[in-house]
Amino acid sequence: MQLQILPQTFAVCQIQDTSQINWQMPLFFFSKTAEELSLVCPETDLPAAVLQCERGWRALKICGVLDFALVGILAKISSLLANAGISIFAVSTYNTDYILIKESHLQKAAAALRTNGYQITAKKQKAMFQMKHRFLLYVQLIITTIDLITQLTF
């Protein structure tokens, strides 16, 4: 089974209301019960006003779509990590599961899972690199255009 380490560092928070949530975040988890409102989001998108917050979580995504008939996937992973002395915070979606681990335990967790046959990959932050690259190309284009205009007018 393949797990992917997501590049973001997450925060697990209890919030007062939803007014400060950035609903445009590409990845976050929100839950509401009679007792609380909880938000798991990248630390960079953390609302200003939180009641309680636990920072420094990294996420492992179970790759692929998990059929509801599958049994024990999360139990096996959590058991392996518990045996390694690593606590987790799990979040499930319709398609898959995410296992959040404190950043200080990430390498130890990845090693424990690899030892037990799991493939661990890291997701790169391509979007930021592509934006910076695109920006530099635009800057170079503007400089070249200015140079050409300068040469034509003088």
Side-chain angles (χ1 to χ4, degrees):
M1 179 165 288
Q2 187 170 356
L3 301 171
Q4 183 180 61
I5 301 171
L6 302 184
Q8 306 93 325
T9 302
F10 290 87
V12 179
C13 305
Q14 188 178 50
I15 58 176
Q16 177 97 25
D17 61 63
T18 61
S19 64
Q20 294 184 350
I21 294 176
N22 172 8
W23 297 101
Q24 303 306 312
M25 286 183 277
L27 177 64
F28 69 96
F29 305 95
F30 172 75
S31 61
K32 177 183 178 181
T33 68
E35 294 84 28
E36 68 175 311
L37 299 174
S38 291
L39 177 68
V40 177
C41 68
E43 288 183 352
T44 55
D45 291 303
L46 195 59
V50 296
L51 298 175
Q52 297 183 71
C53 188
E54 183 77 28
R55 296 171 181 254
W57 294 91
R58 294 294 301 277
L60 295 171
K61 175 186 176 184
I62 299 175
C63 297
V65 176
L66 304 178
D67 189 280
F68 284 103
L70 295 174
V71 177
I73 292 173
L74 192 55
K76 183 173 181 187
I77 293 170
S78 63
S79 176
L80 291 171
L81 294 175
N83 289 339
I86 301 168
S87 64
I88 68 164
F89 182 88
V91 181
S92 295
T93 66
Y94 188 89
N95 283 343
T96 194
D97 297 319
Y98 293 80
I99 299 100
L100 281 81
I101 298 163
K102 284 302 233 174
E103 189 160 28
S104 59
H105 297 291
L106 183 62
Q107 295 308 317
K108 184 179 176 183
L113 293 167
R114 280 188 184 107
T115 299
N116 286 279
Y118 289 87
Q119 296 174 4
I120 311 292
T121 60
K123 183 175 182 180
K124 305 292 183 201
Q125 286 187 323
K126 290 181 188 175
M128 185 60 76
F129 172 78
Q130 289 172 343
M131 280 185 3
K132 287 179 183 178
H133 182 69
R134 222 176 281 141
F135 175 76
L136 291 174
L137 288 175
Y138 287 132
V139 169
Q140 189 169 4
L141 179 64
I142 290 169
I143 291 170
T144 303
T145 303
I146 291 171
D147 283 346
L148 287 172
I149 291 171
T150 304
Q151 290 173 9
L152 291 174
T153 57
F154 292 109

